[in-house]
Amino acid sequence: MGFGFFMKAASTTPRDGRATPPDPSWVDDVLLAGAGSGVCLVFDAPVTRDELRRLVGEAQDALTGAGLRAGGTAALCLAPSLALVAHLLAGWRTGAQVALLDHRLTPFETEQALGRLGSQVVVSAEPVPAGPARGFYDQRPTVRARAAGSPARTPHALVQLSSGSTGPAKIIGRTAADVVAELGRYARIEGVPRAGERIVSLASMVHVLGLVGGLLHGLHAGVKLAFPERATAEGILATVAAGREPTTLLGVPFHIDLLSWVAEPPRLPQLTGMTTGGELVRPRVYEAFTSRYGVRLGSMYGMTEVGVIATDLFGAHRPELTPAPGMTLRESERGELLIATDASPYLNSDDPSRWADGWLHTRDGGRVDAATGRIRVLGRLDSQVSVGGLKVDLTEVEHTLAELPDVAAAVVVFGSSIEAYAVLREPGAPGAAARLEAGLAERLAPYKRPRLLHVVERLPRTATGKLVRDLAALRAAASGSAAASGSAGASALPGASASSGASASPGAAALPGASAAQ
């Protein structure tokens, strides 16, 4: 089917509050079409299109048996698995609105989300067993009706919750036509895997990069999609080595860092490159990966609300990106990137600061080059704070800290002062605190330096691998690290001012040179 395909469903909601369901034929025409004997997915074994069609049919029988109908609502609470793929396609094939919930949510969080979504049917499975992280699981789904559910009130086929890396999750809806249009953008982007090639996906299937950039693009374009059994560097590389097709890795900066730690990677002639999204890639991480593997590292900028926005898949214009075909962007007066969209993607908000007059507010600072049309993403606008009347970009401070040799990962936030949270490459390394102090003093003006430095065992991340910048979650991580070590935390670094107004908390050290105006 060509990309002139449009949904037959109305884009308005009738007076009874129920939305006209989308035409479900797009599932067979856009995603499941193709030679039945061809392998489309690889979990613990290859899955052909004929096998996938059979599994989708069985899942559709289970969903309709639980009462799901066209115009209904379903929620999937499944780990990455063949069951997740089958039930997602089956829900859409029924003409229902399908919401994706991360399997790592607690039962309380899941029930809270279901209450907000109003799902009529829920598909879930037993919690995944404890142990090393895996790229996929063998899920035995249970399909149940939910008495408190209600039919879809909007024409959206896909409903997702935002990652929640900077605040409460938003409910985001996308129509089938919007998803098909995004697949059309992928088809026109140079460097995206094509038929006969393979993607090894490390990205979550319940979030936009892994869902559309991996699963749906792979099904539509005839790209074989494989998932590593073990989500370790060795497991990822073993999955790459298991196939002969030209292979692209798909993941987030966390995975790049993970792979860059491999001292001597095996020879992988089939590996053509990696595409990453979610966060800016620090120069040190970029250089470590490309030098170690000798392949391209491409960047993709996107949002749950609209999918892929801009790319630089060959690293030719780093750090600039080229807007994806059909995407119109502009820079606002305050330096925010805006994206032209026909309607607001938010189901639970009409906040004009997020969407107004046909423009989606990304809340990302950025620049649009008038001559080339390329964009440069400068980080979250809410990362800019005022210290003593001077503007400080927390992204700059964070990247500076993360680039220090002793630091494996870092997050910088603003509470009553600038606070930094860091994971050391060698926990407990002698003299690390002094080296961090000296490194920051050399690279940052005094007013930019963090007042508090928390050394933690690990930093909280979202389901997509993004670092969490919620102050409460970070402080909980610092408290947990201090409790695990059995100590009250590091002492104040030499030279720290006792009158600065910021006291060292467990796991934290006050840094000298930071402006007292904080």
Side-chain angles (χ1 to χ4, degrees):
M1 172 175 291
F3 287 100
F5 173 72
F6 291 96
M7 297 297 102
K8 298 176 183 177
S11 60
T12 57
T13 303
R15 293 179 181 177
D16 63 2
R18 299 187 181 188
T20 303
D23 176 3
S25 65
W26 74 285
V27 177
D28 288 306
D29 294 339
V30 176
L31 302 176
L32 291 177
S37 60
V39 173
C40 54
L41 302 170
V42 180
F43 290 93
D44 53 353
V47 180
T48 66
R49 285 190 182 269
D50 275 345
E51 176 69 4
L52 181 58
R53 291 174 189 134
R54 181 184 66 80
L55 292 171
V56 171
E58 292 176 356
Q60 191 170 357
D61 289 341
L63 291 170
T64 56
L68 187 66
R69 299 291 184 268
T73 54
L76 308 186
C77 311
L78 297 171
S81 60
L82 184 53
L84 172 59
V85 175
H87 284 80
L88 171 62
L89 300 184
W92 284 341
R93 204 184 199 189
T94 305
Q97 184 179 95
V98 182
L100 297 177
L101 299 180
D102 194 275
H103 72 285
R104 287 164 289 198
L105 296 178
T106 65
F108 177 81
E109 289 172 316
T110 299
E111 285 304 315
Q112 291 287 103
L114 292 174
R116 294 177 68 192
L117 296 168
S119 304
Q120 294 174 307
V121 173
V122 179
V123 184
S124 59
E126 290 296 318
V128 300
R134 295 171 57 90
F136 64 88
Y137 296 85
D138 182 15
Q139 296 267 270
R140 305 295 180 186
T142 299
V143 181
R144 63 178 175 87
R146 185 170 174 274
S150 58
R153 297 182 179 275
T154 67
H156 302 104
L158 172 65
V159 172
Q160 296 170 277
L161 300 180
S162 64
S163 63
S165 60
T166 57
K170 301 175 289 295
I171 300 177
I172 297 165
R174 300 184 68 186
T175 64
D178 184 37
V179 174
V180 171
E182 184 182 1
L183 293 176
R185 296 201 295 276
Y186 272 98
R188 297 162 59 192
I189 297 173
E190 185 179 358
V192 167
R194 306 299 185 199
E197 299 183 21
R198 185 173 61 139
I199 294 173
V200 172
S201 182
L202 320 175
S204 168
M205 275 196 289
V206 300
H207 297 279
V208 67
L209 180 63
L211 174 63
V212 184
L215 176 62
L216 303 186
H217 168 68
L219 290 175
H220 172 259
V223 178
K224 186 184 295 184
L225 183 66
F227 300 89
E229 179 178 354
R230 294 173 296 129
T232 61
E234 293 76 12
I236 294 165
L237 296 177
T239 304
V240 174
R244 296 181 179 180
E245 302 92 344
T247 300
T248 298
L249 286 165
L250 184 68
V252 296
F254 169 78
H255 300 120
I256 303 170
D257 214 3
L258 184 69
L259 291 167
S260 297
W261 275 90
V262 179
E264 296 184 9
R267 184 173 177 274
L268 298 168
Q270 63 274 75
L271 181 62
T272 61
M274 180 169 184
T275 297
T276 182
E279 293 179 313
L280 298 174
V281 179
R282 303 194 309 274
R284 186 178 68 186
V285 176
Y286 180 92
E287 292 163 7
F289 179 86
T290 54
S291 63
R292 187 144 299 177
Y293 291 92
V295 297
R296 63 179 176 86
L297 176 57
S299 298
M300 183 175 290
Y301 171 54
M303 295 175 65
T304 304
E305 288 84 341
V306 293
V308 61
I309 298 168
T311 64
D312 180 31
L313 299 188
F314 294 95
H317 304 293
R318 177 179 166 82
E320 293 184 331
L321 304 104
T322 301
M327 298 300 287
T328 301
L329 292 89
R330 69 178 177 88
E331 176 188 340
S332 75
E333 293 180 357
R334 63 189 290 256
E336 180 182 15
L337 290 175
L338 307 181
I339 303 170
T341 59
D342 292 334
S344 171
Y346 302 111
L347 275 64
N348 61 333
S349 173
D350 56 0
D351 182 356
S353 70
R354 300 309 306 253
W355 182 90
D357 301 324
W359 292 96
L360 176 68
H361 292 245
T362 66
R363 294 193 174 175
D364 286 324
R367 298 287 182 266
V368 179
D369 189 306
T372 65
R374 291 193 292 266
I375 68 168
R376 181 170 182 176
V377 184
L378 301 177
R380 300 290 296 176
L381 283 178
D382 51 18
S383 72
Q384 297 179 0
V385 299
S386 178
V387 176
L390 300 173
K391 293 293 184 183
V392 178
D393 186 343
L394 298 182
T395 302
E396 176 194 358
V397 180
E398 181 175 297
H399 281 207
T400 301
L401 175 59
E403 289 293 323
L404 297 178
D406 283 289
V407 178
V411 164
V412 173
V413 294
F414 188 80
S416 57
S417 62
I418 298 177
E419 297 186 24
Y421 295 78
V423 177
L424 298 180
R425 292 190 179 277
E426 297 182 17
R435 288 193 295 274
L436 295 185
E437 172 195 351
L440 291 173
E442 178 185 356
R443 293 164 174 81
L444 293 173
Y447 71 92
K448 295 182 181 180
R449 296 176 207 159
R451 171 58 60 189
L452 293 175
L453 171 65
H454 306 255
V455 175
V456 298
E457 293 181 348
R458 63 182 60 86
L459 291 168
R461 293 179 181 269
T462 69
T464 62
K466 292 182 182 179
L467 292 166
V468 169
R469 291 177 172 79
D470 177 74
L471 192 55
L474 289 164
R475 287 178 174 170
S479 297
S481 295
S485 66
S487 67
S491 59
L493 295 183
S497 171
S499 60
S500 65
S503 59
S505 61
L511 297 185
S515 170
Q518 291 178 8

